[in-house]
Amino acid sequence: MDVTVTTAELAGAASALVKLVPGKLIDPVLAGLLITATPEGVALAANDRERAVRVHRNAVVHTEGRVLVPAKPLADTLRALEQEQVRLVVEGSKLAIRAPGARYALPLLDADVHPGVGAAPAVAGTVDGGLFASALATTVLAASRDDALPMFTGVRVRSEDDRLIMVATDRYQMALASLPWHARGEVDALVPASLLNELARQLPAGEVTVHADRDRFGLGWRGALATTAVLDGSFLHESKIHLSDVDTVVTTDADALAGAVRRVGLYTDARGVLLVEIGDGEIRLRGADSKAGEAEESVKAGVDGGRTGQAYQSRFLTDALRCFGGKEVRMEIQPGMRATVFSAVEPTEPTVRYVVMPMLPPK
Amino acid sequence: MDVTVTTAELAGAASALVKLVPGKLIDPVLAGLLITATPEGVALAANDRERAVRVHRNAVVHTEGRVLVPAKPLADTLRALEQEQVRLVVEGSKLAIRAPGARYALPLLDADVHPGVGAAPAVAGTVDGGLFASALATTVLAASRDDALPMFTGVRVRSEDDRLIMVATDRYQMALASLPWHARGEVDALVPASLLNELARQLPAGEVTVHADRDRFGLGWRGALATTAVLDGSFLHESKIHLSDVDTVVTTDADALAGAVRRVGLYTDARGVLLVEIGDGEIRLRGADSKAGEAEESVKAGVDGGRTGQAYQSRFLTDALRCFGGKEVRMEIQPGMRATVFSAVEPTEPTVRYVVMPMLPPK
């Protein structure tokens, strides 16, 4: 193999792969990066048997070939290079990375035992990458990071007519987002949130294809394709919110309320619970901790209804309000220990609703 | 006590104190912040029996007084506040922090058992704050972080005629910096590098007073005064470098060499040692690790002398070259296991020299 590539393009592709497929340290082959040079250019691929990602880049191909090298040293070296062009060439049992005045060489791993990336599931539909990234960034906030209950570590991605709906919950909070969906088929999959979180950072604007079959879920964009095994979704989340008993609706500036939550949140007990009291044209936040002291702050709000208050964990309020930054937010409060629903007063795409469960107030 | 203060000013002062005196968690009094309101304004002070810091700010003082409160919650609250003015007022057993629409209250600690800050040692001289901060940021790089050998965790600060000289070493590397000194007396103290590192971030441009007596060292600037107990300096560092045997002098662009060290440093063994070979009009860096692969990079250089090479830990080279960013650097290489000295080809204030010990080359 012998190819010449623009350094920044190849460095970006290698870094993207390393982030999407962090690699299992135990097996160097699965921590490897498969480079395939064909007349069409160069393809980088990684597969840890759960996630499989392939990225294509243009290249001047002097000699075709297929090699497997350690992924992280390759990505680190390419990222640190300042020269505009870089040449990858097999020299004996090494892959040499050559740039003017510099030569780095990585050991070749056995490419024949690498599983490759395989064909993608069929295209189920397409979405706009920018809106999808925004919707993913919102929903992954509500997913659990506790691997002991895998089903709560996923985001349910489901098509319904002309909308793609995403739902995630860790049982204490739930996020729902939806955006326009250009259907070619259907999708209903529980996808690991950790991968979607990274994809939310990488997805460009423009068309993104959504791939799905019974066992796998994938996204394709601009010469890149990422697929993953889906989680067991037989116990699927509900994606409709039933509000039976809303007795108070509050509207306020999301950033102003988030600022107050951040400050009063400094004065909470070990559970991080603060009191939200609904007053006359204002929300009053209260925190108290025997050691830290006590805090009280008021934020102007439109209030409709007679409810007096509710208690929440401050970090859930912070996550919920972050989804509506720069906007007016509506809180629909139900009595007792029923959920409170946050939504935008003037919704934009992707539409988002965030559900937070109340807590018992501090004693 | 009842005072009104500009929030940003008081928040900056409280944060500065918390960073300079991180506080011992065991004793809440020593983790406290002493606030004294007098007709001249408000003074914040902290003292953990090793470090003592006092900062003065203008304030509208409605009622004089002196209180002790937990330092970190106060600093966190003030930093998070968005209102322009803040009022501190004693209410019963609490200090209330009041701003429009908000009230926070911290428990009062027993101010009478707080040691206060005490008088500063006499002024030994003055320096320019900007130059001093730059010289400190450079020298603390070479100080040890290993508290088992306290004398290597300090920077020796010593006046000599019209220069103030700073030296630090962890035995593998040594940094020397000097800057103009306006003497009113003398100073020769071994000062904890961790405090100087923080002071390097906080010192403003303009005149800084240097205070010293047998047991304490201090700096004063714009209404602020920070003092610390000095380290045992009876085994003092040498602040002169004896170069007996320089056989090769190399000059090159510090940033270009630092970039090459960063890249080739990815290909080193567990000790992080790379080879520096002196060629004809170039420096060649080589790294090799049986697992990671091998690397070689050349950087253009002026070479005077016939030495062929030396091996160094890449992180020491990185630290040394960082001191000369944007400049041409001179490397004076001695044979065998003798030190290599880095200096600027065209020195500016503060003048800096950095000494790196060579290592045995990788096998």
Side-chain angles (χ1 to χ4, degrees):
Chain A
M1 193 178 79
D2 186 355
V3 297
T4 302
V5 198
T6 306
T7 311
E9 283 213 356
L10 197 65
S15 290
L17 255 78
V18 167
K19 283 179 191 149
L20 289 170
V21 189
K24 301 207 196 312
L25 282 173
I26 311 153
D27 184 346
V29 166
L30 297 186
L33 211 147
L34 193 68
I35 310 177
T36 312
T38 63
E40 283 76 49
V42 64
L44 305 187
N47 185 346
D48 67 1
R49 296 205 189 272
E50 182 183 314
R51 301 173 177 189
V53 181
R54 184 173 60 208
V55 181
H56 180 271
R57 288 289 182 265
N58 291 324
V60 179
V61 177
H62 314 295
T63 314
E64 297 180 39
R66 181 162 176 275
V67 298
L68 185 68
V69 292
K72 201 167 173 309
L74 178 72
D76 289 348
T77 303
L78 290 171
R79 189 175 42 224
L81 276 181
E82 284 156 14
Q83 291 94 335
E84 207 182 319
Q85 298 277 315
V86 65
R87 190 171 157 205
L88 304 185
V89 51
V90 171
E91 296 176 355
S93 64
K94 298 268 163 93
L95 177 73
I97 307 162
R98 286 185 169 277
R103 175 184 179 275
Y104 314 90
L106 294 170
L108 293 180
L109 305 170
D110 188 353
D112 294 333
V113 300
H114 192 273
V117 163
V123 174
T126 65
V127 289
D128 175 77
L131 290 183
F132 195 38
S134 163
L136 288 175
T138 296
T139 39
V140 297
L141 284 175
S144 172
R145 280 153 196 85
D146 178 5
D147 284 326
L149 288 171
M151 66 189 165
F152 293 115
T153 64
V155 174
R156 186 184 175 190
V157 181
R158 189 169 63 81
S159 60
E160 190 176 297
D161 303 326
D162 61 345
R163 306 290 291 177
L164 188 66
I165 301 164
M166 271 147 285
V167 191
T169 181
D170 64 0
R171 297 168 297 160
Y172 302 103
Q173 53 184 343
M174 174 161 69
L176 291 98
S178 86
L179 71 158
W181 166 249
H182 308 289
R184 293 194 216 165
E186 287 188 337
V187 59
D188 190 351
L190 192 58
V191 187
S194 55
L195 176 64
L196 294 178
N197 192 30
E198 183 54 42
L199 284 168
R201 296 201 183 98
Q202 295 196 12
L203 280 184
E207 191 182 79
V208 168
T209 52
V210 177
H211 303 249
D213 62 18
R214 225 183 68 97
D215 300 318
R216 296 192 73 78
F217 175 88
L219 298 179
W221 70 98
R222 283 194 208 158
L225 178 73
T227 66
T228 177
V230 298
L231 297 167
D232 181 355
S234 51
F235 177 84
L236 281 175
H237 312 309
E238 185 59 62
S239 64
K240 288 202 171 59
I241 301 176
H242 302 283
L243 288 173
S244 50
D245 247 344
V246 172
D247 61 357
T248 305
V249 178
V250 182
T251 58
T252 188
D253 180 78
D255 295 334
L257 186 56
V261 167
R262 197 175 67 241
R263 290 183 290 271
V264 176
L266 297 169
Y267 293 80
T268 52
D269 58 13
R271 294 183 305 154
V273 173
L274 50 77
L275 273 171
V276 176
E277 296 176 352
I278 311 303
D280 191 15
E282 65 175 26
I283 307 175
R284 227 175 5 255
L285 301 181
R286 275 179 191 281
D289 176 49
S290 52
K291 271 186 197 159
E294 62 200 37
E296 181 181 328
E297 191 163 337
S298 301
V299 178
K300 277 184 197 163
V303 175
D304 180 10
R307 179 120 209 97
T308 53
Q310 197 62 284
Y312 306 96
Q313 281 207 53
S314 64
R315 64 195 172 104
F316 294 151
L317 289 182
T318 298
D319 282 350
L321 292 166
R322 192 189 300 167
C323 303
F324 306 100
K327 292 183 188 163
E328 285 280 301
V329 66
R330 174 190 293 113
M331 292 171 66
E332 295 172 276
I333 305 175
Q334 303 185 90
M337 296 307 280
R338 295 206 192 97
T340 296
V341 181
F342 293 74
S343 58
V345 172
E346 292 173 8
T348 54
E349 294 288 359
T351 62
V352 173
R353 284 194 296 169
Y354 208 98
V355 183
V356 175
M357 295 303 292
M359 304 289 287
L360 288 173
K363 280 163 202 164
Chain B
M1 194 178 78
D2 185 356
V3 298
T4 302
V5 198
T6 306
T7 310
E9 285 215 354
L10 196 65
S15 290
L17 255 78
V18 167
K19 284 177 190 150
L20 290 169
V21 189
K24 301 206 198 310
L25 282 174
I26 312 153
D27 184 345
V29 166
L30 295 186
L33 212 148
L34 194 67
I35 310 175
T36 312
T38 62
E40 283 78 47
V42 64
L44 304 188
N47 185 344
D48 66 3
R49 295 204 189 274
E50 182 182 315
R51 302 172 176 188
V53 180
R54 184 173 59 209
V55 180
H56 180 270
R57 288 290 182 267
N58 292 324
V60 179
V61 176
H62 314 293
T63 314
E64 295 179 40
R66 183 164 176 275
V67 297
L68 185 69
V69 291
K72 198 161 175 310
L74 178 71
D76 288 347
T77 303
L78 290 171
R79 187 172 47 221
L81 274 182
E82 286 155 13
Q83 291 93 334
E84 205 181 320
Q85 298 277 317
V86 64
R87 190 170 159 206
L88 304 185
V89 50
V90 171
E91 297 176 355
S93 63
K94 299 269 163 90
L95 177 72
I97 307 162
R98 287 185 169 274
R103 174 183 180 275
Y104 315 90
L106 294 169
L108 293 179
L109 306 170
D110 188 353
D112 293 334
V113 298
H114 192 274
V117 165
V123 174
T126 65
V127 289
D128 174 76
L131 290 181
F132 195 40
S134 164
L136 289 176
T138 295
T139 39
V140 296
L141 283 175
S144 172
R145 280 152 194 86
D146 178 5
D147 285 327
L149 289 171
M151 66 190 163
F152 293 115
T153 64
V155 175
R156 187 184 175 190
V157 181
R158 190 170 62 80
S159 59
E160 188 174 299
D161 303 328
D162 61 347
R163 305 290 291 177
L164 187 67
I165 300 163
M166 271 147 285
V167 192
T169 181
D170 63 2
R171 295 168 297 157
Y172 302 102
Q173 54 184 344
M174 174 161 69
L176 292 98
S178 86
L179 70 160
W181 166 249
H182 309 286
R184 292 192 216 165
E186 286 186 340
V187 60
D188 190 350
L190 192 59
V191 188
S194 56
L195 176 64
L196 294 178
N197 192 30
E198 182 55 41
L199 283 168
R201 297 202 183 97
Q202 295 197 12
L203 280 183
E207 191 181 81
V208 168
T209 52
V210 177
H211 303 250
D213 61 21
R214 225 182 67 97
D215 301 318
R216 296 192 73 78
F217 175 88
L219 299 178
W221 70 97
R222 283 198 208 156
L225 178 74
T227 67
T228 177
V230 297
L231 296 167
D232 181 354
S234 51
F235 176 83
L236 279 176
H237 313 307
E238 185 59 65
S239 63
K240 287 200 173 58
I241 301 176
H242 302 283
L243 287 174
S244 49
D245 247 342
V246 172
D247 60 359
T248 304
V249 178
V250 182
T251 58
T252 188
D253 180 77
D255 295 334
L257 187 56
V261 168
R262 196 175 67 241
R263 288 183 292 271
V264 177
L266 296 170
Y267 293 79
T268 52
D269 59 11
R271 293 184 308 153
V273 172
L274 49 79
L275 274 170
V276 176
E277 295 176 357
I278 311 303
D280 191 15
E282 63 175 26
I283 307 176
R284 226 173 7 253
L285 302 181
R286 273 181 194 279
D289 177 50
S290 52
K291 273 189 199 157
E294 61 198 39
E296 181 181 329
E297 191 163 337
S298 300
V299 178
K300 277 184 196 162
V303 175
D304 182 9
R307 180 121 211 94
T308 54
Q310 197 64 281
Y312 306 96
Q313 281 207 51
S314 64
R315 64 195 172 102
F316 294 151
L317 289 183
T318 298
D319 281 351
L321 293 167
R322 190 188 302 168
C323 303
F324 305 101
K327 292 182 190 165
E328 285 281 303
V329 67
R330 175 190 292 112
M331 290 172 66
E332 294 172 278
I333 304 176
Q334 303 186 89
M337 296 306 281
R338 294 207 192 95
T340 296
V341 181
F342 294 74
S343 58
V345 172
E346 291 173 7
T348 54
E349 295 287 2
T351 64
V352 173
R353 283 195 296 169
Y354 209 97
V355 184
V356 176
M357 295 305 291
M359 304 290 288
L360 288 173
K363 281 168 202 159

